PDB file of all heavy atoms in Angstrom:
ATOM      1  N   ALA A 110      -0.682  36.391   0.278  1.00 96.00           N
ATOM      2  CA  ALA A 110      -0.601  37.809  -0.056  1.00 96.00           C
ATOM      3  C   ALA A 110       0.693  38.386   0.491  1.00 96.00           C
ATOM      4  O   ALA A 110       1.083  38.106   1.628  1.00 96.00           O
ATOM      5  CB  ALA A 110      -1.791  38.542   0.548  1.00 96.00           C
ATOM      6  N   ILE A 111       1.353  39.208  -0.317  1.00 96.00           N
ATOM      7  CA  ILE A 111       2.529  39.938   0.158  1.00 96.00           C
ATOM      8  C   ILE A 111       2.048  41.037   1.099  1.00 96.00           C
ATOM      9  O   ILE A 111       1.066  41.723   0.813  1.00 96.00           O
ATOM     10  CB  ILE A 111       3.299  40.548  -1.035  1.00 96.00           C
ATOM     11  CG1 ILE A 111       3.843  39.427  -1.927  1.00 96.00           C
ATOM     12  CG2 ILE A 111       4.418  41.465  -0.561  1.00 96.00           C
ATOM     13  CD1 ILE A 111       4.507  39.912  -3.203  1.00 96.00           C
ATOM     14  N   THR A 148      -5.652  49.794  -1.841  1.00 98.00           N
ATOM     15  CA  THR A 148      -4.437  50.039  -2.601  1.00 98.00           C
ATOM     16  C   THR A 148      -3.907  48.745  -3.182  1.00 98.00           C
ATOM     17  O   THR A 148      -4.133  47.665  -2.628  1.00 98.00           O
ATOM     18  CB  THR A 148      -3.371  50.767  -1.752  1.00 98.00           C
ATOM     19  OG1 THR A 148      -2.320  51.185  -2.614  1.00 98.00           O
ATOM     20  CG2 THR A 148      -2.791  49.875  -0.670  1.00 98.00           C
ATOM     21  N   GLY A 149      -3.236  48.837  -4.331  1.00 96.00           N
ATOM     22  CA  GLY A 149      -2.696  47.653  -4.990  1.00 96.00           C
ATOM     23  C   GLY A 149      -3.168  47.571  -6.421  1.00 96.00           C
ATOM     24  O   GLY A 149      -3.621  48.557  -6.994  1.00 96.00           O
ATOM     25  N   GLY A 150      -3.051  46.364  -7.008  1.00 93.00           N
ATOM     26  CA  GLY A 150      -3.403  46.225  -8.410  1.00 93.00           C
ATOM     27  C   GLY A 150      -4.003  44.868  -8.710  1.00 93.00           C
ATOM     28  O   GLY A 150      -4.252  44.068  -7.805  1.00 93.00           O
ATOM     29  N   GLY A 151      -4.225  44.589  -9.985  1.00 92.00           N
ATOM     30  CA  GLY A 151      -4.771  43.310 -10.403  1.00 92.00           C
ATOM     31  C   GLY A 151      -6.229  43.157 -10.036  1.00 92.00           C
ATOM     32  O   GLY A 151      -6.893  44.109  -9.647  1.00 92.00           O
ATOM     33  N   ILE A 152      -6.705  41.924 -10.177  1.00 93.00           N
ATOM     34  CA  ILE A 152      -8.128  41.669  -9.989  1.00 93.00           C
ATOM     35  C   ILE A 152      -8.548  41.849  -8.538  1.00 93.00           C
ATOM     36  O   ILE A 152      -9.603  42.412  -8.246  1.00 93.00           O
ATOM     37  CB  ILE A 152      -8.466  40.251 -10.490  1.00 93.00           C
ATOM     38  CG1 ILE A 152      -8.316  40.205 -12.012  1.00 93.00           C
ATOM     39  CG2 ILE A 152      -9.865  39.843 -10.101  1.00 93.00           C
ATOM     40  CD1 ILE A 152      -8.398  38.824 -12.601  1.00 93.00           C
ATOM     41  N   THR A 153      -7.720  41.370  -7.607  1.00 95.00           N
ATOM     42  CA  THR A 153      -8.162  41.412  -6.209  1.00 95.00           C
ATOM     43  C   THR A 153      -8.349  42.837  -5.705  1.00 95.00           C
ATOM     44  O   THR A 153      -9.299  43.116  -4.972  1.00 95.00           O
ATOM     45  CB  THR A 153      -7.184  40.638  -5.298  1.00 95.00           C
ATOM     46  OG1 THR A 153      -6.990  39.344  -5.857  1.00 95.00           O
ATOM     47  CG2 THR A 153      -7.740  40.483  -3.903  1.00 95.00           C
ATOM     48  N   ALA A 154      -7.477  43.764  -6.096  1.00 96.00           N
ATOM     49  CA  ALA A 154      -7.637  45.147  -5.643  1.00 96.00           C
ATOM     50  C   ALA A 154      -8.975  45.704  -6.124  1.00 96.00           C
ATOM     51  O   ALA A 154      -9.687  46.403  -5.389  1.00 96.00           O
ATOM     52  CB  ALA A 154      -6.489  46.013  -6.152  1.00 96.00           C
ATOM     53  N   LEU A 155      -9.314  45.360  -7.353  1.00 95.00           N
ATOM     54  CA  LEU A 155     -10.582  45.825  -7.902  1.00 95.00           C
ATOM     55  C   LEU A 155     -11.762  45.176  -7.181  1.00 95.00           C
ATOM     56  O   LEU A 155     -12.761  45.831  -6.880  1.00 95.00           O
ATOM     57  CB  LEU A 155     -10.633  45.459  -9.385  1.00 95.00           C
ATOM     58  CG  LEU A 155     -11.335  46.435 -10.283  1.00 95.00           C
ATOM     59  CD1 LEU A 155     -10.697  47.808 -10.170  1.00 95.00           C
ATOM     60  CD2 LEU A 155     -11.264  45.950 -11.720  1.00 95.00           C
ATOM     61  N   TYR A 170      -9.510  54.584  -4.096  1.00 98.00           N
ATOM     62  CA  TYR A 170      -8.584  53.599  -4.642  1.00 98.00           C
ATOM     63  C   TYR A 170      -7.280  54.326  -4.977  1.00 98.00           C
ATOM     64  O   TYR A 170      -7.247  55.200  -5.825  1.00 98.00           O
ATOM     65  CB  TYR A 170      -9.208  52.921  -5.862  1.00 98.00           C
ATOM     66  CG  TYR A 170      -8.369  51.851  -6.521  1.00 98.00           C
ATOM     67  CD1 TYR A 170      -7.262  51.292  -5.888  1.00 98.00           C
ATOM     68  CD2 TYR A 170      -8.695  51.366  -7.776  1.00 98.00           C
ATOM     69  CE1 TYR A 170      -6.503  50.304  -6.495  1.00 98.00           C
ATOM     70  CE2 TYR A 170      -7.941  50.372  -8.401  1.00 98.00           C
ATOM     71  CZ  TYR A 170      -6.846  49.856  -7.756  1.00 98.00           C
ATOM     72  OH  TYR A 170      -6.095  48.876  -8.365  1.00 98.00           O
ATOM     73  N   VAL A 171      -6.219  53.936  -4.260  1.00 98.00           N
ATOM     74  CA  VAL A 171      -4.925  54.600  -4.428  1.00 98.00           C
ATOM     75  C   VAL A 171      -4.032  53.745  -5.331  1.00 98.00           C
ATOM     76  O   VAL A 171      -3.746  52.585  -5.021  1.00 98.00           O
ATOM     77  CB  VAL A 171      -4.243  54.783  -3.047  1.00 98.00           C
ATOM     78  CG1 VAL A 171      -2.846  55.368  -3.218  1.00 98.00           C
ATOM     79  CG2 VAL A 171      -5.102  55.659  -2.143  1.00 98.00           C
ATOM     80  N   LEU A 172      -3.622  54.311  -6.457  1.00 96.00           N
ATOM     81  CA  LEU A 172      -2.761  53.585  -7.406  1.00 96.00           C
ATOM     82  C   LEU A 172      -1.414  54.278  -7.522  1.00 96.00           C
ATOM     83  O   LEU A 172      -1.355  55.496  -7.653  1.00 96.00           O
ATOM     84  CB  LEU A 172      -3.377  53.590  -8.805  1.00 96.00           C
ATOM     85  CG  LEU A 172      -4.668  52.853  -9.026  1.00 96.00           C
ATOM     86  CD1 LEU A 172      -5.804  53.838  -9.148  1.00 96.00           C
ATOM     87  CD2 LEU A 172      -4.577  52.040 -10.291  1.00 96.00           C
ATOM     88  N   ARG A 173      -0.365  53.471  -7.548  1.00 94.00           N
ATOM     89  CA  ARG A 173       0.972  54.046  -7.727  1.00 94.00           C
ATOM     90  C   ARG A 173       1.164  54.563  -9.151  1.00 94.00           C
ATOM     91  O   ARG A 173       1.826  55.551  -9.387  1.00 94.00           O
ATOM     92  CB  ARG A 173       2.016  52.973  -7.508  1.00 94.00           C
ATOM     93  CG  ARG A 173       2.419  52.788  -6.077  1.00 94.00           C
ATOM     94  CD  ARG A 173       3.518  51.751  -6.109  1.00 94.00           C
ATOM     95  NE  ARG A 173       4.051  51.490  -4.793  1.00 94.00           N
ATOM     96  CZ  ARG A 173       4.928  50.526  -4.558  1.00 94.00           C
ATOM     97  NH1 ARG A 173       5.326  49.749  -5.535  1.00 94.00           N
ATOM     98  NH2 ARG A 173       5.388  50.343  -3.349  1.00 94.00           N
ATOM     99  N   GLY A 174       0.612  53.821 -10.101  1.00 92.00           N
ATOM    100  CA  GLY A 174       0.866  54.115 -11.506  1.00 92.00           C
ATOM    101  C   GLY A 174      -0.097  55.149 -12.061  1.00 92.00           C
ATOM    102  O   GLY A 174      -0.886  55.756 -11.347  1.00 92.00           O
ATOM    103  N   ARG A 176      -2.284  54.346 -14.411  1.00 95.00           N
ATOM    104  CA  ARG A 176      -3.546  53.726 -14.784  1.00 95.00           C
ATOM    105  C   ARG A 176      -3.628  52.326 -14.204  1.00 95.00           C
ATOM    106  O   ARG A 176      -2.624  51.756 -13.770  1.00 95.00           O
ATOM    107  CB  ARG A 176      -3.683  53.691 -16.300  1.00 95.00           C
ATOM    108  CG  ARG A 176      -2.599  52.889 -17.000  1.00 95.00           C
ATOM    109  CD  ARG A 176      -2.771  52.981 -18.490  1.00 95.00           C
ATOM    110  NE  ARG A 176      -1.734  52.286 -19.236  1.00 95.00           N
ATOM    111  CZ  ARG A 176      -1.837  51.029 -19.669  1.00 95.00           C
ATOM    112  NH1 ARG A 176      -2.912  50.308 -19.399  1.00 95.00           N
ATOM    113  NH2 ARG A 176      -0.868  50.491 -20.373  1.00 95.00           N
ATOM    114  N   TYR A 177      -4.851  51.767 -14.256  1.00 95.00           N
ATOM    115  CA  TYR A 177      -5.107  50.464 -13.665  1.00 95.00           C
ATOM    116  C   TYR A 177      -4.521  49.317 -14.511  1.00 95.00           C
ATOM    117  O   TYR A 177      -4.746  49.263 -15.701  1.00 95.00           O
ATOM    118  CB  TYR A 177      -6.625  50.269 -13.490  1.00 95.00           C
ATOM    119  CG  TYR A 177      -6.993  48.862 -13.076  1.00 95.00           C
ATOM    120  CD1 TYR A 177      -6.663  48.386 -11.809  1.00 95.00           C
ATOM    121  CD2 TYR A 177      -7.627  47.997 -13.956  1.00 95.00           C
ATOM    122  CE1 TYR A 177      -6.959  47.083 -11.436  1.00 95.00           C
ATOM    123  CE2 TYR A 177      -7.931  46.694 -13.591  1.00 95.00           C
ATOM    124  CZ  TYR A 177      -7.598  46.242 -12.328  1.00 95.00           C
ATOM    125  OH  TYR A 177      -7.889  44.954 -11.969  1.00 95.00           O
ATOM    126  N   TRP A 178      -3.801  48.400 -13.897  1.00 93.00           N
ATOM    127  CA  TRP A 178      -3.304  47.120 -14.439  1.00 93.00           C
ATOM    128  C   TRP A 178      -2.577  47.263 -15.781  1.00 93.00           C
ATOM    129  O   TRP A 178      -2.902  46.606 -16.766  1.00 93.00           O
ATOM    130  CB  TRP A 178      -4.472  46.130 -14.577  1.00 93.00           C
ATOM    131  CG  TRP A 178      -4.086  44.714 -14.236  1.00 93.00           C
ATOM    132  CD1 TRP A 178      -2.952  44.285 -13.626  1.00 93.00           C
ATOM    133  CD2 TRP A 178      -4.868  43.533 -14.498  1.00 93.00           C
ATOM    134  NE1 TRP A 178      -2.975  42.912 -13.474  1.00 93.00           N
ATOM    135  CE2 TRP A 178      -4.145  42.441 -13.992  1.00 93.00           C
ATOM    136  CE3 TRP A 178      -6.112  43.293 -15.093  1.00 93.00           C
ATOM    137  CZ2 TRP A 178      -4.610  41.123 -14.062  1.00 93.00           C
ATOM    138  CZ3 TRP A 178      -6.571  41.987 -15.168  1.00 93.00           C
ATOM    139  CH2 TRP A 178      -5.838  40.919 -14.660  1.00 93.00           C
ATOM    140  N   PRO A 179      -1.546  48.098 -15.821  1.00 91.00           N
ATOM    141  CA  PRO A 179      -0.864  48.362 -17.090  1.00 91.00           C
ATOM    142  C   PRO A 179      -0.097  47.161 -17.648  1.00 91.00           C
ATOM    143  O   PRO A 179       0.204  47.137 -18.842  1.00 91.00           O
ATOM    144  CB  PRO A 179       0.102  49.506 -16.747  1.00 91.00           C
ATOM    145  CG  PRO A 179       0.312  49.401 -15.282  1.00 91.00           C
ATOM    146  CD  PRO A 179      -0.965  48.853 -14.708  1.00 91.00           C
ATOM    147  N   GLY A 180       0.210  46.164 -16.818  1.00 89.00           N
ATOM    148  CA  GLY A 180       0.940  44.995 -17.322  1.00 89.00           C
ATOM    149  C   GLY A 180       0.085  44.122 -18.222  1.00 89.00           C
ATOM    150  O   GLY A 180       0.594  43.337 -19.011  1.00 89.00           O
ATOM    151  N   VAL A 181      -1.227  44.218 -18.089  1.00 91.00           N
ATOM    152  CA  VAL A 181      -2.123  43.329 -18.824  1.00 91.00           C
ATOM    153  C   VAL A 181      -3.057  44.110 -19.756  1.00 91.00           C
ATOM    154  O   VAL A 181      -3.349  43.672 -20.862  1.00 91.00           O
ATOM    155  CB  VAL A 181      -2.937  42.453 -17.836  1.00 91.00           C
ATOM    156  CG1 VAL A 181      -4.016  41.659 -18.552  1.00 91.00           C
ATOM    157  CG2 VAL A 181      -2.001  41.498 -17.072  1.00 91.00           C
ATOM    158  N   LEU A 182      -3.501  45.278 -19.328  1.00 93.00           N
ATOM    159  CA  LEU A 182      -4.469  46.038 -20.128  1.00 93.00           C
ATOM    160  C   LEU A 182      -3.780  47.121 -20.953  1.00 93.00           C
ATOM    161  O   LEU A 182      -2.757  47.673 -20.561  1.00 93.00           O
ATOM    162  CB  LEU A 182      -5.505  46.701 -19.210  1.00 93.00           C
ATOM    163  CG  LEU A 182      -6.317  45.800 -18.281  1.00 93.00           C
ATOM    164  CD1 LEU A 182      -7.347  46.633 -17.516  1.00 93.00           C
ATOM    165  CD2 LEU A 182      -7.014  44.690 -19.048  1.00 93.00           C
ATOM    166  N   PHE A 235      -5.558  46.005   1.110  1.00 98.00           N
ATOM    167  CA  PHE A 235      -4.485  46.024   0.116  1.00 98.00           C
ATOM    168  C   PHE A 235      -4.401  44.700  -0.652  1.00 98.00           C
ATOM    169  O   PHE A 235      -4.781  43.638  -0.144  1.00 98.00           O
ATOM    170  CB  PHE A 235      -3.126  46.323   0.773  1.00 98.00           C
ATOM    171  CG  PHE A 235      -2.671  45.235   1.724  1.00 98.00           C
ATOM    172  CD1 PHE A 235      -1.851  44.201   1.284  1.00 98.00           C
ATOM    173  CD2 PHE A 235      -3.053  45.252   3.055  1.00 98.00           C
ATOM    174  CE1 PHE A 235      -1.418  43.191   2.158  1.00 98.00           C
ATOM    175  CE2 PHE A 235      -2.634  44.249   3.935  1.00 98.00           C
ATOM    176  CZ  PHE A 235      -1.827  43.232   3.484  1.00 98.00           C
ATOM    177  N   ALA A 236      -3.929  44.781  -1.886  1.00 97.00           N
ATOM    178  CA  ALA A 236      -3.668  43.598  -2.706  1.00 97.00           C
ATOM    179  C   ALA A 236      -2.509  43.979  -3.611  1.00 97.00           C
ATOM    180  O   ALA A 236      -2.700  44.522  -4.691  1.00 97.00           O
ATOM    181  CB  ALA A 236      -4.893  43.228  -3.534  1.00 97.00           C
ATOM    182  N   ILE A 237      -1.283  43.724  -3.138  1.00 95.00           N
ATOM    183  CA  ILE A 237      -0.115  44.188  -3.887  1.00 95.00           C
ATOM    184  C   ILE A 237       0.670  43.024  -4.491  1.00 95.00           C
ATOM    185  O   ILE A 237       1.809  43.185  -4.905  1.00 95.00           O
ATOM    186  CB  ILE A 237       0.807  45.053  -2.990  1.00 95.00           C
ATOM    187  CG1 ILE A 237       1.234  44.285  -1.748  1.00 95.00           C
ATOM    188  CG2 ILE A 237       0.114  46.354  -2.597  1.00 95.00           C
ATOM    189  CD1 ILE A 237       2.296  45.010  -0.921  1.00 95.00           C
ATOM    190  N   GLY A 238       0.029  41.863  -4.566  1.00 94.00           N
ATOM    191  CA  GLY A 238       0.678  40.712  -5.190  1.00 94.00           C
ATOM    192  C   GLY A 238       0.746  39.540  -4.218  1.00 94.00           C
ATOM    193  O   GLY A 238       0.400  39.669  -3.041  1.00 94.00           O
ATOM    194  N   ILE A 239       1.169  38.413  -4.748  1.00 95.00           N
ATOM    195  CA  ILE A 239       1.242  37.205  -3.921  1.00 95.00           C
ATOM    196  C   ILE A 239       2.603  36.550  -4.088  1.00 95.00           C
ATOM    197  O   ILE A 239       3.318  36.833  -5.044  1.00 95.00           O
ATOM    198  CB  ILE A 239       0.141  36.189  -4.313  1.00 95.00           C
ATOM    199  CG1 ILE A 239       0.224  35.847  -5.813  1.00 95.00           C
ATOM    200  CG2 ILE A 239      -1.234  36.722  -3.978  1.00 95.00           C
ATOM    201  CD1 ILE A 239      -0.636  34.678  -6.207  1.00 95.00           C
ATOM    202  N   GLU A 240       2.934  35.692  -3.131  1.00 96.00           N
ATOM    203  CA  GLU A 240       4.178  34.930  -3.260  1.00 96.00           C
ATOM    204  C   GLU A 240       3.919  33.462  -2.929  1.00 96.00           C
ATOM    205  O   GLU A 240       3.164  33.152  -2.008  1.00 96.00           O
ATOM    206  CB  GLU A 240       5.267  35.523  -2.360  1.00 96.00           C
ATOM    207  CG  GLU A 240       4.879  35.578  -0.906  1.00 96.00           C
ATOM    208  CD  GLU A 240       5.839  36.406  -0.067  1.00 96.00           C
ATOM    209  OE1 GLU A 240       6.917  36.730  -0.566  1.00 96.00           O
ATOM    210  OE2 GLU A 240       5.493  36.708   1.095  1.00 96.00           O
ATOM    211  N   GLY A 339       4.951  45.114 -19.969  1.00 68.00           N
ATOM    212  CA  GLY A 339       5.189  46.393 -19.330  1.00 68.00           C
ATOM    213  C   GLY A 339       5.128  46.286 -17.830  1.00 68.00           C
ATOM    214  O   GLY A 339       4.721  45.277 -17.262  1.00 68.00           O
ATOM    215  N   HIS A 340       5.525  47.348 -17.199  1.00 74.00           N
ATOM    216  CA  HIS A 340       5.739  47.366 -15.774  1.00 74.00           C
ATOM    217  C   HIS A 340       4.478  47.777 -15.043  1.00 74.00           C
ATOM    218  O   HIS A 340       3.717  48.608 -15.499  1.00 74.00           O
ATOM    219  CB  HIS A 340       6.867  48.347 -15.468  1.00 74.00           C
ATOM    220  CG  HIS A 340       7.135  48.472 -14.010  1.00 74.00           C
ATOM    221  ND1 HIS A 340       7.655  47.427 -13.274  1.00 74.00           N
ATOM    222  CD2 HIS A 340       6.939  49.494 -13.148  1.00 74.00           C
ATOM    223  CE1 HIS A 340       7.764  47.819 -12.007  1.00 74.00           C
ATOM    224  NE2 HIS A 340       7.341  49.068 -11.919  1.00 74.00           N
ATOM    225  N   ASP A 341       4.237  47.167 -13.907  1.00 74.00           N
ATOM    226  CA  ASP A 341       3.080  47.509 -13.096  1.00 74.00           C
ATOM    227  C   ASP A 341       3.562  47.881 -11.700  1.00 74.00           C
ATOM    228  O   ASP A 341       3.969  47.034 -10.918  1.00 74.00           O
ATOM    229  CB  ASP A 341       2.135  46.308 -13.034  1.00 74.00           C
ATOM    230  CG  ASP A 341       0.825  46.640 -12.350  1.00 74.00           C
ATOM    231  OD1 ASP A 341       0.790  47.643 -11.603  1.00 74.00           O
ATOM    232  OD2 ASP A 341      -0.145  45.910 -12.564  1.00 74.00           O
ATOM    233  N   ALA A 342       3.494  49.156 -11.398  1.00 78.00           N
ATOM    234  CA  ALA A 342       4.019  49.624 -10.117  1.00 78.00           C
ATOM    235  C   ALA A 342       3.146  49.204  -8.938  1.00 78.00           C
ATOM    236  O   ALA A 342       3.572  49.244  -7.790  1.00 78.00           O
ATOM    237  CB  ALA A 342       4.140  51.145 -10.151  1.00 78.00           C
ATOM    238  N   ASP A 343       1.914  48.771  -9.221  1.00 76.00           N
ATOM    239  CA  ASP A 343       1.014  48.437  -8.121  1.00 76.00           C
ATOM    240  C   ASP A 343       1.170  47.007  -7.618  1.00 76.00           C
ATOM    241  O   ASP A 343       0.616  46.647  -6.596  1.00 76.00           O
ATOM    242  CB  ASP A 343      -0.439  48.672  -8.548  1.00 76.00           C
ATOM    243  CG  ASP A 343      -0.729  50.157  -8.668  1.00 76.00           C
ATOM    244  OD1 ASP A 343      -0.487  50.858  -7.671  1.00 76.00           O
ATOM    245  OD2 ASP A 343      -1.136  50.610  -9.745  1.00 76.00           O
ATOM    246  N   LEU A 344       1.894  46.186  -8.373  1.00 74.00           N
ATOM    247  CA  LEU A 344       2.038  44.795  -7.975  1.00 74.00           C
ATOM    248  C   LEU A 344       3.512  44.428  -7.842  1.00 74.00           C
ATOM    249  O   LEU A 344       4.305  44.716  -8.723  1.00 74.00           O
ATOM    250  CB  LEU A 344       1.401  43.872  -9.024  1.00 74.00           C
ATOM    251  CG  LEU A 344      -0.118  43.916  -9.102  1.00 74.00           C
ATOM    252  CD1 LEU A 344      -0.597  43.079 -10.278  1.00 74.00           C
ATOM    253  CD2 LEU A 344      -0.741  43.401  -7.811  1.00 74.00           C
ATOM    254  N   LEU A 345       3.863  43.792  -6.723  1.00 74.00           N
ATOM    255  CA  LEU A 345       5.239  43.368  -6.524  1.00 74.00           C
ATOM    256  C   LEU A 345       5.500  42.035  -7.231  1.00 74.00           C
ATOM    257  O   LEU A 345       6.602  41.715  -7.590  1.00 74.00           O
ATOM    258  CB  LEU A 345       5.528  43.235  -5.037  1.00 74.00           C
ATOM    259  CG  LEU A 345       5.285  44.526  -4.241  1.00 74.00           C
ATOM    260  CD1 LEU A 345       5.585  44.317  -2.772  1.00 74.00           C
ATOM    261  CD2 LEU A 345       6.122  45.669  -4.787  1.00 74.00           C
ATOM    262  N   GLN A 346       4.437  41.229  -7.377  1.00 73.00           N
ATOM    263  CA  GLN A 346       4.518  39.990  -8.154  1.00 73.00           C
ATOM    264  C   GLN A 346       3.165  39.842  -8.821  1.00 73.00           C
ATOM    265  O   GLN A 346       2.364  40.755  -8.752  1.00 73.00           O
ATOM    266  CB  GLN A 346       4.731  38.803  -7.206  1.00 73.00           C
ATOM    267  CG  GLN A 346       6.118  38.685  -6.676  1.00 73.00           C
ATOM    268  CD  GLN A 346       6.628  37.258  -6.791  1.00 73.00           C
ATOM    269  OE1 GLN A 346       6.199  36.491  -7.638  1.00 73.00           O
ATOM    270  NE2 GLN A 346       7.561  36.898  -5.938  1.00 73.00           N
ATOM    271  N   ILE A 347       2.888  38.680  -9.420  1.00 71.00           N
ATOM    272  CA  ILE A 347       1.548  38.517  -9.963  1.00 71.00           C
ATOM    273  C   ILE A 347       0.530  38.567  -8.836  1.00 71.00           C
ATOM    274  O   ILE A 347       0.856  38.400  -7.667  1.00 71.00           O
ATOM    275  CB  ILE A 347       1.362  37.203 -10.761  1.00 71.00           C
ATOM    276  CG1 ILE A 347       1.682  35.982  -9.913  1.00 71.00           C
ATOM    277  CG2 ILE A 347       2.142  37.249 -12.045  1.00 71.00           C
ATOM    278  CD1 ILE A 347       1.148  34.701 -10.543  1.00 71.00           C
ATOM    279  N   ALA A 348      -0.722  38.811  -9.211  1.00 74.00           N
ATOM    280  CA  ALA A 348      -1.795  38.877  -8.228  1.00 74.00           C
ATOM    281  C   ALA A 348      -2.594  37.581  -8.291  1.00 74.00           C
ATOM    282  O   ALA A 348      -2.221  36.639  -8.979  1.00 74.00           O
ATOM    283  CB  ALA A 348      -2.682  40.066  -8.537  1.00 74.00           C
ATOM    284  N   ARG A 349      -3.713  37.547  -7.587  1.00 80.00           N
ATOM    285  CA  ARG A 349      -4.622  36.409  -7.677  1.00 80.00           C
ATOM    286  C   ARG A 349      -5.351  36.437  -8.994  1.00 80.00           C
ATOM    287  O   ARG A 349      -5.684  37.496  -9.492  1.00 80.00           O
ATOM    288  CB  ARG A 349      -5.666  36.517  -6.568  1.00 80.00           C
ATOM    289  CG  ARG A 349      -5.105  36.382  -5.195  1.00 80.00           C
ATOM    290  CD  ARG A 349      -4.814  34.940  -4.908  1.00 80.00           C
ATOM    291  NE  ARG A 349      -4.325  34.769  -3.555  1.00 80.00           N
ATOM    292  CZ  ARG A 349      -3.770  33.635  -3.152  1.00 80.00           C
ATOM    293  NH1 ARG A 349      -3.613  32.637  -3.981  1.00 80.00           N
ATOM    294  NH2 ARG A 349      -3.357  33.519  -1.914  1.00 80.00           N
ATOM    295  N   GLY A 350      -5.678  35.264  -9.524  1.00 77.00           N
ATOM    296  CA  GLY A 350      -6.416  35.210 -10.780  1.00 77.00           C
ATOM    297  C   GLY A 350      -5.585  35.781 -11.900  1.00 77.00           C
ATOM    298  O   GLY A 350      -6.079  36.463 -12.777  1.00 77.00           O
ATOM    299  N   ASP A 351      -4.287  35.515 -11.860  1.00 80.00           N
ATOM    300  CA  ASP A 351      -3.343  36.196 -12.734  1.00 80.00           C
ATOM    301  C   ASP A 351      -2.362  35.168 -13.294  1.00 80.00           C
ATOM    302  O   ASP A 351      -2.209  34.077 -12.758  1.00 80.00           O
ATOM    303  CB  ASP A 351      -2.587  37.232 -11.893  1.00 80.00           C
ATOM    304  CG  ASP A 351      -1.901  38.301 -12.722  1.00 80.00           C
ATOM    305  OD1 ASP A 351      -1.777  38.127 -13.940  1.00 80.00           O
ATOM    306  OD2 ASP A 351      -1.486  39.313 -12.133  1.00 80.00           O
ATOM    307  N   SER A 352      -1.702  35.521 -14.383  1.00 81.00           N
ATOM    308  CA  SER A 352      -0.726  34.619 -14.985  1.00 81.00           C
ATOM    309  C   SER A 352       0.443  35.420 -15.511  1.00 81.00           C
ATOM    310  O   SER A 352       0.255  36.469 -16.118  1.00 81.00           O
ATOM    311  CB  SER A 352      -1.378  33.855 -16.136  1.00 81.00           C
ATOM    312  OG  SER A 352      -0.391  33.195 -16.894  1.00 81.00           O
ATOM    313  N   TRP A 355       0.393  36.088 -19.355  1.00 72.00           N
ATOM    314  CA  TRP A 355      -0.354  37.194 -19.952  1.00 72.00           C
ATOM    315  C   TRP A 355       0.543  38.375 -20.286  1.00 72.00           C
ATOM    316  O   TRP A 355       0.207  39.216 -21.099  1.00 72.00           O
ATOM    317  CB  TRP A 355      -1.464  37.668 -19.014  1.00 72.00           C
ATOM    318  CG  TRP A 355      -2.565  36.681 -18.837  1.00 72.00           C
ATOM    319  CD1 TRP A 355      -2.839  35.607 -19.637  1.00 72.00           C
ATOM    320  CD2 TRP A 355      -3.543  36.657 -17.799  1.00 72.00           C
ATOM    321  NE1 TRP A 355      -3.927  34.930 -19.151  1.00 72.00           N
ATOM    322  CE2 TRP A 355      -4.371  35.542 -18.030  1.00 72.00           C
ATOM    323  CE3 TRP A 355      -3.798  37.472 -16.690  1.00 72.00           C
ATOM    324  CZ2 TRP A 355      -5.450  35.230 -17.208  1.00 72.00           C
ATOM    325  CZ3 TRP A 355      -4.863  37.165 -15.869  1.00 72.00           C
ATOM    326  CH2 TRP A 355      -5.680  36.051 -16.117  1.00 72.00           C
ATOM    327  N   ARG A 356       1.677  38.450 -19.614  1.00 75.00           N
ATOM    328  CA  ARG A 356       2.569  39.597 -19.816  1.00 75.00           C
ATOM    329  C   ARG A 356       3.627  39.356 -20.881  1.00 75.00           C
ATOM    330  O   ARG A 356       4.529  40.153 -21.041  1.00 75.00           O
ATOM    331  CB  ARG A 356       3.260  39.934 -18.500  1.00 75.00           C
ATOM    332  CG  ARG A 356       2.303  40.436 -17.454  1.00 75.00           C
ATOM    333  CD  ARG A 356       2.950  40.426 -16.082  1.00 75.00           C
ATOM    334  NE  ARG A 356       2.087  41.033 -15.092  1.00 75.00           N
ATOM    335  CZ  ARG A 356       1.005  40.479 -14.602  1.00 75.00           C
ATOM    336  NH1 ARG A 356       0.624  39.300 -15.047  1.00 75.00           N
ATOM    337  NH2 ARG A 356       0.272  41.098 -13.677  1.00 75.00           N
TER     338      ARG A 356
END
Side-chain angles (χ1 to χ4, degrees):
Chain A
I111 296 175
T148 190
I152 292 170
T153 308
L155 215 57
Y170 181 15
V171 175
L172 294 105
R173 274 184 178 173
R176 61 183 177 94
Y177 171 69
W178 218 12
V181 172
L182 303 183
F235 65 93
I237 57 172
I239 56 169
E240 57 191 347
H340 178 67
D341 187 340
D343 289 305
L344 290 174
L345 302 180
Q346 284 227 26
I347 57 164
R349 294 283 183 193
D351 198 346
S352 168
W355 292 343
R356 294 166 174 73

